[in-house]
Amino acid sequence: MTRERMVDARLHLLSRQVLDADGEPVRAVDDLELVGPGGQPARAGAEVRVGAILVGPVLFVRLFGGAVPVSRQPRIAWEDVGHVGTAIELTVPSDRLDADWVEHWLRDHVVGRVPGGRHDPEADG
Amino acid sequence: MNVGDLLDAQVLGPDGTTLGVVVDVRFALEVVDEPDDDARERDREDPETPLSAHLGRDAVGGARLVGLLVSPHSGGSFLGYERTELRSPWPIAQLVRRRHRGTFLAGWSDVAEVRTDGSPVIVRLVAGFERGSPAL
């Protein structure tokens, strides 16, 4: 029989740092998406699970109000979560995640064009 | 539906009376791989190892929604004091316990309806719902 551990969203999950498989910080948990069985929309009273960690551009929403459309929120599938402790650790490297697409786009299109921008300081040892 | 929709939602009883607000959402994390005591002991003996390389760590599976923590007096989450046996520092613990007195766990199966179209979000409980203990 598998054991279960009780966690509370605000106490243990929200705003926690998300680390990828290499221990690199990815994002912080902004919200959790709830889904029903088979990926159906969550219904009151029926079985509901966490489907994904949402890591959205919440700063603008907090400053100016409103809400980011769900389709526009970058997400990390809950299946990729390996350990929940002081941080939430994933079993996949961050390059495989869509959540960092803004950073990857800036790296390829802006930072990479700056002279010296493709230099990897960690490769120098 | 997101957890953010449920947090701070207004909770109504079956007859429409206000019971409080949702201060937290509880999940049961499936533990699929549990470390043995030897692995935990090895971690303790080797404090130089980074936390991410520790052996004594469990692996988690799915997270099932268990219920909603409903506080009748205060909308804020209060540091987990209302859910544990922690008693110190004494003045803060007393203050938090007072503000969260009457907090209960409403099981998700006792939730009849969640209306996310308005503000605040409304959670209505079924008739004969049970007030569970908020302790973790």
Side-chain angles (χ1 to χ4, degrees), chain B residues 69-111:
Chain B
L69 287 160
V70 182
S71 172
H73 301 290
S74 170
S77 173
F78 266 79
L79 315 171
Y81 272 111
E82 75 279 19
R83 284 159 269 178
T84 62
E85 293 300 311
L86 272 177
R87 290 279 185 276
S88 57
W90 187 84
I92 295 174
Q94 288 300 310
L95 183 72
V96 170
R97 276 171 202 285
R98 191 174 152 68
R99 277 178 66 83
H100 277 283
R101 65 194 185 280
T103 298
F104 65 94
L105 177 72
W108 183 248
S109 53
D110 285 347
V111 174

Side-chain angles (χ1 to χ4, degrees), chain A:
Chain A
M1 199 185 99
T2 49
R3 202 171 66 83
E4 285 185 326
R5 178 153 63 96
M6 293 294 168
V7 290
D8 283 349
R10 259 186 181 151
L11 204 56
H12 300 110
L13 300 172
L14 295 178
S15 300
R16 293 288 173 123
Q17 180 70 53
V18 179
L19 305 173
D20 77 350
D22 303 318
E24 294 291 325
V26 183
R27 300 286 281 269
V29 181
D30 290 319
D31 208 342
L32 298 164
E33 187 180 49
L34 300 173
V35 292
Q40 298 285 314
R43 284 195 304 114
E47 187 193 323
V48 169
R49 290 176 168 273
V50 176
I53 297 171
L54 299 177
V55 286
V58 290
L59 179 65
F60 293 105
V61 175
R62 281 184 191 158
L63 286 174
F64 302 114
V68 180
V70 173
S71 59
R72 286 273 174 268
Q73 278 205 313
R75 66 196 56 224
I76 300 167
W78 187 262
E79 290 93 73
D80 292 338
V81 173
H83 175 73
V84 174
T86 46
I88 293 180
E89 293 166 31
L90 306 178
T91 53
V92 293
S94 66
D95 287 349
R96 297 238 314 263
L97 300 170
D98 290 339
D100 271 347
W101 70 268
V102 176
E103 198 174 317
H104 293 159
W105 189 90
L106 286 171
R107 179 191 65 193
D108 295 341
H109 291 87
V110 181
V111 179
R113 290 170 191 222
V114 175
R118 292 188 181 272
H119 171 70
D120 180 7
E122 290 182 4
D124 294 344

